[in-house]
PDB file of all heavy atoms in Angstrom:
ATOM      1  N   ALA R 689     -34.907   2.382  86.369  1.00  0.00           N
ATOM      2  CA  ALA R 689     -35.401   2.301  84.988  1.00  0.00           C
ATOM      3  C   ALA R 689     -34.250   2.375  83.989  1.00  0.00           C
ATOM      4  O   ALA R 689     -34.268   1.685  82.964  1.00  0.00           O
ATOM      5  CB  ALA R 689     -36.418   3.410  84.727  1.00  0.00           C
ATOM      6  N   ILE R 690     -33.250   3.196  84.260  1.00  0.00           N
ATOM      7  CA  ILE R 690     -32.083   3.279  83.373  1.00  0.00           C
ATOM      8  C   ILE R 690     -31.353   1.944  83.336  1.00  0.00           C
ATOM      9  O   ILE R 690     -30.993   1.437  82.264  1.00  0.00           O
ATOM     10  CB  ILE R 690     -31.138   4.401  83.837  1.00  0.00           C
ATOM     11  CG1 ILE R 690     -31.767   5.773  83.581  1.00  0.00           C
ATOM     12  CG2 ILE R 690     -29.788   4.309  83.118  1.00  0.00           C
ATOM     13  CD1 ILE R 690     -30.964   6.929  84.138  1.00  0.00           C
ATOM     14  N   LEU R 691     -31.132   1.355  84.504  1.00  0.00           N
ATOM     15  CA  LEU R 691     -30.422   0.076  84.568  1.00  0.00           C
ATOM     16  C   LEU R 691     -31.226  -1.044  83.906  1.00  0.00           C
ATOM     17  O   LEU R 691     -30.646  -1.957  83.304  1.00  0.00           O
ATOM     18  CB  LEU R 691     -30.127  -0.284  86.024  1.00  0.00           C
ATOM     19  CG  LEU R 691     -29.178   0.667  86.769  1.00  0.00           C
ATOM     20  CD1 LEU R 691     -29.086   0.281  88.233  1.00  0.00           C
ATOM     21  CD2 LEU R 691     -27.792   0.661  86.130  1.00  0.00           C
ATOM     22  N   ALA R 692     -32.546  -0.985  84.000  1.00  0.00           N
ATOM     23  CA  ALA R 692     -33.379  -2.021  83.387  1.00  0.00           C
ATOM     24  C   ALA R 692     -33.518  -1.816  81.885  1.00  0.00           C
ATOM     25  O   ALA R 692     -33.570  -2.788  81.113  1.00  0.00           O
ATOM     26  CB  ALA R 692     -34.768  -2.025  84.041  1.00  0.00           C
ATOM     27  N   ALA R 693     -33.565  -0.556  81.443  1.00  0.00           N
ATOM     28  CA  ALA R 693     -33.761  -0.270  80.023  1.00  0.00           C
ATOM     29  C   ALA R 693     -32.502  -0.517  79.202  1.00  0.00           C
ATOM     30  O   ALA R 693     -32.597  -0.816  78.006  1.00  0.00           O
ATOM     31  CB  ALA R 693     -34.227   1.176  79.846  1.00  0.00           C
ATOM     32  N   TYR R 694     -31.332  -0.411  79.813  1.00  0.00           N
ATOM     33  CA  TYR R 694     -30.086  -0.532  79.056  1.00  0.00           C
ATOM     34  C   TYR R 694     -29.940  -1.895  78.377  1.00  0.00           C
ATOM     35  O   TYR R 694     -29.718  -1.958  77.161  1.00  0.00           O
ATOM     36  CB  TYR R 694     -28.897  -0.241  79.966  1.00  0.00           C
ATOM     37  CG  TYR R 694     -27.573  -0.244  79.242  1.00  0.00           C
ATOM     38  CD1 TYR R 694     -27.280   0.730  78.296  1.00  0.00           C
ATOM     39  CD2 TYR R 694     -26.626  -1.213  79.502  1.00  0.00           C
ATOM     40  CE1 TYR R 694     -26.071   0.742  77.622  1.00  0.00           C
ATOM     41  CE2 TYR R 694     -25.408  -1.214  78.840  1.00  0.00           C
ATOM     42  CZ  TYR R 694     -25.132  -0.235  77.900  1.00  0.00           C
ATOM     43  OH  TYR R 694     -23.936  -0.235  77.236  1.00  0.00           O
ATOM     44  N   PRO R 695     -30.027  -3.011  79.091  1.00  0.00           N
ATOM     45  CA  PRO R 695     -29.922  -4.299  78.385  1.00  0.00           C
ATOM     46  C   PRO R 695     -31.069  -4.548  77.426  1.00  0.00           C
ATOM     47  O   PRO R 695     -30.883  -5.198  76.386  1.00  0.00           O
ATOM     48  CB  PRO R 695     -29.907  -5.322  79.528  1.00  0.00           C
ATOM     49  CG  PRO R 695     -30.539  -4.643  80.679  1.00  0.00           C
ATOM     50  CD  PRO R 695     -30.168  -3.199  80.544  1.00  0.00           C
ATOM     51  N   LEU R 696     -32.269  -4.040  77.732  1.00  0.00           N
ATOM     52  CA  LEU R 696     -33.402  -4.225  76.834  1.00  0.00           C
ATOM     53  C   LEU R 696     -33.216  -3.446  75.535  1.00  0.00           C
ATOM     54  O   LEU R 696     -33.704  -3.846  74.482  1.00  0.00           O
ATOM     55  CB  LEU R 696     -34.697  -3.779  77.521  1.00  0.00           C
ATOM     56  CG  LEU R 696     -35.138  -4.619  78.728  1.00  0.00           C
ATOM     57  CD1 LEU R 696     -36.302  -3.948  79.438  1.00  0.00           C
ATOM     58  CD2 LEU R 696     -35.523  -6.021  78.294  1.00  0.00           C
ATOM     59  N   SER R 697     -32.495  -2.332  75.609  1.00  0.00           N
ATOM     60  CA  SER R 697     -32.271  -1.498  74.436  1.00  0.00           C
ATOM     61  C   SER R 697     -31.059  -1.944  73.624  1.00  0.00           C
ATOM     62  O   SER R 697     -31.060  -1.830  72.398  1.00  0.00           O
ATOM     63  CB  SER R 697     -32.093  -0.040  74.866  1.00  0.00           C
ATOM     64  OG  SER R 697     -31.732   0.781  73.783  1.00  0.00           O
ATOM     65  N   ARG R 698     -30.040  -2.466  74.286  1.00  0.00           N
ATOM     66  CA  ARG R 698     -28.763  -2.713  73.616  1.00  0.00           C
ATOM     67  C   ARG R 698     -28.520  -4.179  73.243  1.00  0.00           C
ATOM     68  O   ARG R 698     -27.694  -4.469  72.396  1.00  0.00           O
ATOM     69  CB  ARG R 698     -27.613  -2.231  74.513  1.00  0.00           C
ATOM     70  CG  ARG R 698     -27.552  -0.711  74.647  1.00  0.00           C
ATOM     71  CD  ARG R 698     -27.321  -0.092  73.274  1.00  0.00           C
ATOM     72  NE  ARG R 698     -27.078   1.345  73.342  1.00  0.00           N
ATOM     73  CZ  ARG R 698     -27.962   2.265  73.032  1.00  0.00           C
ATOM     74  NH1 ARG R 698     -29.192   1.887  72.657  1.00  0.00           N
ATOM     75  NH2 ARG R 698     -27.661   3.551  73.062  1.00  0.00           N
ATOM     76  N   TYR R 699     -29.217  -5.099  73.868  1.00  0.00           N
ATOM     77  CA  TYR R 699     -28.959  -6.520  73.615  1.00  0.00           C
ATOM     78  C   TYR R 699     -30.223  -7.194  73.112  1.00  0.00           C
ATOM     79  O   TYR R 699     -31.312  -6.989  73.657  1.00  0.00           O
ATOM     80  CB  TYR R 699     -28.450  -7.220  74.878  1.00  0.00           C
ATOM     81  CG  TYR R 699     -27.192  -6.597  75.434  1.00  0.00           C
ATOM     82  CD1 TYR R 699     -27.248  -5.773  76.551  1.00  0.00           C
ATOM     83  CD2 TYR R 699     -25.952  -6.806  74.831  1.00  0.00           C
ATOM     84  CE1 TYR R 699     -26.101  -5.181  77.065  1.00  0.00           C
ATOM     85  CE2 TYR R 699     -24.808  -6.224  75.337  1.00  0.00           C
ATOM     86  CZ  TYR R 699     -24.883  -5.412  76.447  1.00  0.00           C
ATOM     87  OH  TYR R 699     -23.739  -4.830  76.947  1.00  0.00           O
ATOM     88  N   SER R 700     -30.070  -8.012  72.074  1.00  0.00           N
ATOM     89  CA  SER R 700     -31.199  -8.758  71.518  1.00  0.00           C
ATOM     90  C   SER R 700     -31.234 -10.137  72.164  1.00  0.00           C
ATOM     91  O   SER R 700     -30.342 -10.964  71.948  1.00  0.00           O
ATOM     92  CB  SER R 700     -31.049  -8.901  69.993  1.00  0.00           C
ATOM     93  OG  SER R 700     -31.079  -7.628  69.378  1.00  0.00           O
ATOM     94  N   MET R 701     -32.265 -10.359  72.958  1.00  0.00           N
ATOM     95  CA  MET R 701     -32.423 -11.638  73.651  1.00  0.00           C
ATOM     96  C   MET R 701     -33.795 -12.220  73.344  1.00  0.00           C
ATOM     97  O   MET R 701     -34.722 -11.490  73.006  1.00  0.00           O
ATOM     98  CB  MET R 701     -32.238 -11.441  75.165  1.00  0.00           C
ATOM     99  CG  MET R 701     -30.825 -11.003  75.549  1.00  0.00           C
ATOM    100  SD  MET R 701     -30.656 -10.564  77.297  1.00  0.00           S
ATOM    101  CE  MET R 701     -31.405  -8.921  77.295  1.00  0.00           C
ATOM    102  N   ARG R 702     -33.915 -13.519  73.496  1.00  0.00           N
ATOM    103  CA  ARG R 702     -35.166 -14.199  73.131  1.00  0.00           C
ATOM    104  C   ARG R 702     -36.336 -13.709  73.964  1.00  0.00           C
ATOM    105  O   ARG R 702     -37.455 -13.628  73.472  1.00  0.00           O
ATOM    106  CB  ARG R 702     -35.005 -15.708  73.303  1.00  0.00           C
ATOM    107  CG  ARG R 702     -34.065 -16.365  72.299  1.00  0.00           C
ATOM    108  CD  ARG R 702     -34.059 -17.873  72.500  1.00  0.00           C
ATOM    109  NE  ARG R 702     -33.677 -18.218  73.875  1.00  0.00           N
ATOM    110  CZ  ARG R 702     -33.711 -19.452  74.367  1.00  0.00           C
ATOM    111  NH1 ARG R 702     -34.157 -20.445  73.605  1.00  0.00           N
ATOM    112  NH2 ARG R 702     -33.331 -19.687  75.601  1.00  0.00           N
ATOM    113  N   PHE R 703     -36.077 -13.399  75.214  1.00  0.00           N
ATOM    114  CA  PHE R 703     -37.186 -13.060  76.105  1.00  0.00           C
ATOM    115  C   PHE R 703     -37.441 -11.556  76.189  1.00  0.00           C
ATOM    116  O   PHE R 703     -38.217 -11.108  77.027  1.00  0.00           O
ATOM    117  CB  PHE R 703     -36.912 -13.607  77.513  1.00  0.00           C
ATOM    118  CG  PHE R 703     -35.617 -13.141  78.118  1.00  0.00           C
ATOM    119  CD1 PHE R 703     -35.538 -11.918  78.758  1.00  0.00           C
ATOM    120  CD2 PHE R 703     -34.490 -13.932  78.043  1.00  0.00           C
ATOM    121  CE1 PHE R 703     -34.358 -11.483  79.318  1.00  0.00           C
ATOM    122  CE2 PHE R 703     -33.292 -13.507  78.602  1.00  0.00           C
ATOM    123  CZ  PHE R 703     -33.219 -12.279  79.240  1.00  0.00           C
ATOM    124  N   ASN R 704     -36.797 -10.746  75.338  1.00  0.00           N
ATOM    125  CA  ASN R 704     -36.986  -9.289  75.394  1.00  0.00           C
ATOM    126  C   ASN R 704     -38.455  -8.893  75.210  1.00  0.00           C
ATOM    127  O   ASN R 704     -39.013  -8.138  75.990  1.00  0.00           O
ATOM    128  CB  ASN R 704     -36.130  -8.610  74.318  1.00  0.00           C
ATOM    129  CG  ASN R 704     -34.768  -8.202  74.849  1.00  0.00           C
ATOM    130  OD1 ASN R 704     -34.307  -8.767  75.837  1.00  0.00           O
ATOM    131  ND2 ASN R 704     -34.130  -7.253  74.196  1.00  0.00           N
ATOM    132  N   LYS R 705     -39.061  -9.420  74.147  1.00  0.00           N
ATOM    133  CA  LYS R 705     -40.433  -9.041  73.849  1.00  0.00           C
ATOM    134  C   LYS R 705     -41.389  -9.510  74.947  1.00  0.00           C
ATOM    135  O   LYS R 705     -42.260  -8.751  75.399  1.00  0.00           O
ATOM    136  CB  LYS R 705     -40.854  -9.621  72.498  1.00  0.00           C
ATOM    137  CG  LYS R 705     -42.251  -9.186  72.059  1.00  0.00           C
ATOM    138  CD  LYS R 705     -42.592  -9.724  70.681  1.00  0.00           C
ATOM    139  CE  LYS R 705     -41.742  -9.072  69.618  1.00  0.00           C
ATOM    140  NZ  LYS R 705     -42.175  -9.464  68.249  1.00  0.00           N
ATOM    141  N   GLY R 706     -41.199 -10.745  75.400  1.00  0.00           N
ATOM    142  CA  GLY R 706     -42.058 -11.254  76.470  1.00  0.00           C
ATOM    143  C   GLY R 706     -41.893 -10.470  77.756  1.00  0.00           C
ATOM    144  O   GLY R 706     -42.869 -10.193  78.462  1.00  0.00           O
ATOM    145  N   PHE R 707     -40.644 -10.102  78.048  1.00  0.00           N
ATOM    146  CA  PHE R 707     -40.399  -9.317  79.256  1.00  0.00           C
ATOM    147  C   PHE R 707     -41.051  -7.938  79.156  1.00  0.00           C
ATOM    148  O   PHE R 707     -41.650  -7.451  80.123  1.00  0.00           O
ATOM    149  CB  PHE R 707     -38.898  -9.174  79.488  1.00  0.00           C
ATOM    150  CG  PHE R 707     -38.546  -8.386  80.715  1.00  0.00           C
ATOM    151  CD1 PHE R 707     -38.618  -8.959  81.973  1.00  0.00           C
ATOM    152  CD2 PHE R 707     -38.154  -7.049  80.605  1.00  0.00           C
ATOM    153  CE1 PHE R 707     -38.296  -8.219  83.098  1.00  0.00           C
ATOM    154  CE2 PHE R 707     -37.835  -6.314  81.728  1.00  0.00           C
ATOM    155  CZ  PHE R 707     -37.900  -6.905  82.980  1.00  0.00           C
ATOM    156  N   MET R 708     -40.958  -7.310  77.981  1.00  0.00           N
ATOM    157  CA  MET R 708     -41.553  -5.991  77.814  1.00  0.00           C
ATOM    158  C   MET R 708     -43.071  -6.038  77.922  1.00  0.00           C
ATOM    159  O   MET R 708     -43.692  -5.139  78.491  1.00  0.00           O
ATOM    160  CB  MET R 708     -41.140  -5.400  76.469  1.00  0.00           C
ATOM    161  CG  MET R 708     -39.665  -5.019  76.378  1.00  0.00           C
ATOM    162  SD  MET R 708     -39.160  -3.816  77.629  1.00  0.00           S
ATOM    163  CE  MET R 708     -40.144  -2.392  77.176  1.00  0.00           C
ATOM    164  N   TYR R 709     -43.672  -7.106  77.392  1.00  0.00           N
ATOM    165  CA  TYR R 709     -45.125  -7.241  77.528  1.00  0.00           C
ATOM    166  C   TYR R 709     -45.512  -7.512  78.989  1.00  0.00           C
ATOM    167  O   TYR R 709     -46.575  -7.077  79.446  1.00  0.00           O
ATOM    168  CB  TYR R 709     -45.640  -8.357  76.630  1.00  0.00           C
ATOM    169  CG  TYR R 709     -45.771  -7.950  75.186  1.00  0.00           C
ATOM    170  CD1 TYR R 709     -45.134  -8.654  74.173  1.00  0.00           C
ATOM    171  CD2 TYR R 709     -46.541  -6.845  74.827  1.00  0.00           C
ATOM    172  CE1 TYR R 709     -45.244  -8.271  72.836  1.00  0.00           C
ATOM    173  CE2 TYR R 709     -46.661  -6.454  73.502  1.00  0.00           C
ATOM    174  CZ  TYR R 709     -46.006  -7.172  72.514  1.00  0.00           C
ATOM    175  OH  TYR R 709     -46.114  -6.782  71.208  1.00  0.00           O
ATOM    176  N   THR R 710     -44.666  -8.222  79.706  1.00  0.00           N
ATOM    177  CA  THR R 710     -44.925  -8.438  81.133  1.00  0.00           C
ATOM    178  C   THR R 710     -44.854  -7.124  81.889  1.00  0.00           C
ATOM    179  O   THR R 710     -45.676  -6.851  82.775  1.00  0.00           O
ATOM    180  CB  THR R 710     -43.903  -9.430  81.719  1.00  0.00           C
ATOM    181  OG1 THR R 710     -43.966 -10.651  80.999  1.00  0.00           O
ATOM    182  CG2 THR R 710     -44.195  -9.697  83.190  1.00  0.00           C
ATOM    183  N   VAL R 711     -43.870  -6.300  81.545  1.00  0.00           N
ATOM    184  CA  VAL R 711     -43.758  -4.977  82.149  1.00  0.00           C
ATOM    185  C   VAL R 711     -44.978  -4.133  81.814  1.00  0.00           C
ATOM    186  O   VAL R 711     -45.534  -3.433  82.667  1.00  0.00           O
ATOM    187  CB  VAL R 711     -42.471  -4.279  81.664  1.00  0.00           C
ATOM    188  CG1 VAL R 711     -42.448  -2.821  82.091  1.00  0.00           C
ATOM    189  CG2 VAL R 711     -41.242  -4.999  82.209  1.00  0.00           C
ATOM    190  N   LEU R 712     -45.429  -4.211  80.554  1.00  0.00           N
ATOM    191  CA  LEU R 712     -46.621  -3.464  80.147  1.00  0.00           C
ATOM    192  C   LEU R 712     -47.846  -3.923  80.928  1.00  0.00           C
ATOM    193  O   LEU R 712     -48.695  -3.111  81.302  1.00  0.00           O
ATOM    194  CB  LEU R 712     -46.855  -3.631  78.648  1.00  0.00           C
ATOM    195  CG  LEU R 712     -48.032  -2.857  78.047  1.00  0.00           C
ATOM    196  CD1 LEU R 712     -47.823  -1.355  78.213  1.00  0.00           C
ATOM    197  CD2 LEU R 712     -48.216  -3.211  76.581  1.00  0.00           C
ATOM    198  N   PHE R 713     -47.925  -5.231  81.184  1.00  0.00           N
ATOM    199  CA  PHE R 713     -49.046  -5.755  81.975  1.00  0.00           C
ATOM    200  C   PHE R 713     -49.046  -5.146  83.373  1.00  0.00           C
ATOM    201  O   PHE R 713     -50.105  -4.921  83.968  1.00  0.00           O
ATOM    202  CB  PHE R 713     -48.953  -7.278  82.056  1.00  0.00           C
ATOM    203  CG  PHE R 713     -49.970  -7.905  82.973  1.00  0.00           C
ATOM    204  CD1 PHE R 713     -51.295  -7.999  82.614  1.00  0.00           C
ATOM    205  CD2 PHE R 713     -49.587  -8.393  84.221  1.00  0.00           C
ATOM    206  CE1 PHE R 713     -52.224  -8.573  83.465  1.00  0.00           C
ATOM    207  CE2 PHE R 713     -50.512  -8.963  85.079  1.00  0.00           C
ATOM    208  CZ  PHE R 713     -51.836  -9.065  84.696  1.00  0.00           C
ATOM    209  N   GLY R 714     -47.839  -4.869  83.896  1.00  0.00           N
ATOM    210  CA  GLY R 714     -47.752  -4.277  85.225  1.00  0.00           C
ATOM    211  C   GLY R 714     -48.374  -2.905  85.306  1.00  0.00           C
ATOM    212  O   GLY R 714     -48.807  -2.471  86.385  1.00  0.00           O
ATOM    213  N   THR R 715     -48.446  -2.180  84.179  1.00  0.00           N
ATOM    214  CA  THR R 715     -49.073  -0.865  84.189  1.00  0.00           C
ATOM    215  C   THR R 715     -50.598  -0.954  84.236  1.00  0.00           C
ATOM    216  O   THR R 715     -51.256   0.040  84.513  1.00  0.00           O
ATOM    217  CB  THR R 715     -48.659  -0.070  82.944  1.00  0.00           C
ATOM    218  OG1 THR R 715     -49.176  -0.725  81.769  1.00  0.00           O
ATOM    219  CG2 THR R 715     -47.153   0.027  82.825  1.00  0.00           C
ATOM    220  N   CYS R 716     -51.138  -2.121  83.948  1.00  0.00           N
ATOM    221  CA  CYS R 716     -52.594  -2.285  83.888  1.00  0.00           C
ATOM    222  C   CYS R 716     -53.201  -2.718  85.219  1.00  0.00           C
ATOM    223  O   CYS R 716     -54.423  -2.729  85.365  1.00  0.00           O
ATOM    224  CB  CYS R 716     -52.965  -3.306  82.816  1.00  0.00           C
ATOM    225  SG  CYS R 716     -52.292  -2.940  81.176  1.00  0.00           S
ATOM    226  N   LEU R 717     -52.370  -3.092  86.176  1.00  0.00           N
ATOM    227  CA  LEU R 717     -52.886  -3.580  87.450  1.00  0.00           C
ATOM    228  C   LEU R 717     -53.476  -2.425  88.260  1.00  0.00           C
ATOM    229  O   LEU R 717     -52.805  -1.414  88.468  1.00  0.00           O
ATOM    230  CB  LEU R 717     -51.774  -4.262  88.248  1.00  0.00           C
ATOM    231  CG  LEU R 717     -51.175  -5.531  87.636  1.00  0.00           C
ATOM    232  CD1 LEU R 717     -49.995  -6.017  88.470  1.00  0.00           C
ATOM    233  CD2 LEU R 717     -52.231  -6.622  87.533  1.00  0.00           C
ATOM    234  N   PRO R 718     -54.713  -2.553  88.724  1.00  0.00           N
ATOM    235  CA  PRO R 718     -55.315  -1.474  89.527  1.00  0.00           C
ATOM    236  C   PRO R 718     -54.676  -1.415  90.907  1.00  0.00           C
ATOM    237  O   PRO R 718     -54.504  -2.442  91.575  1.00  0.00           O
ATOM    238  CB  PRO R 718     -56.793  -1.876  89.605  1.00  0.00           C
ATOM    239  CG  PRO R 718     -56.794  -3.360  89.410  1.00  0.00           C
ATOM    240  CD  PRO R 718     -55.641  -3.667  88.491  1.00  0.00           C
ATOM    241  N   ILE R 719     -54.318  -0.208  91.323  1.00  0.00           N
ATOM    242  CA  ILE R 719     -53.634  -0.037  92.599  1.00  0.00           C
ATOM    243  C   ILE R 719     -54.531  -0.427  93.769  1.00  0.00           C
ATOM    244  O   ILE R 719     -54.045  -0.892  94.804  1.00  0.00           O
ATOM    245  CB  ILE R 719     -53.151   1.425  92.732  1.00  0.00           C
ATOM    246  CG1 ILE R 719     -52.183   1.569  93.907  1.00  0.00           C
ATOM    247  CG2 ILE R 719     -54.317   2.376  92.868  1.00  0.00           C
ATOM    248  CD1 ILE R 719     -50.891   0.864  93.723  1.00  0.00           C
TER     249      ILE R 719
END
Side-chain angles (χ1 to χ4, degrees):
I690 290 174
L691 296 174
Y694 184 67
L696 294 171
S697 174
R698 291 299 187 256
Y699 302 103
S700 297
M701 295 173 283
R702 291 184 303 173
F703 56 83
N704 268 23
K705 184 177 292 187
F707 180 78
M708 291 302 296
Y709 281 124
T710 302
V711 171
L712 183 62
F713 174 74
T715 65
C716 305
L717 296 174
I719 192 67

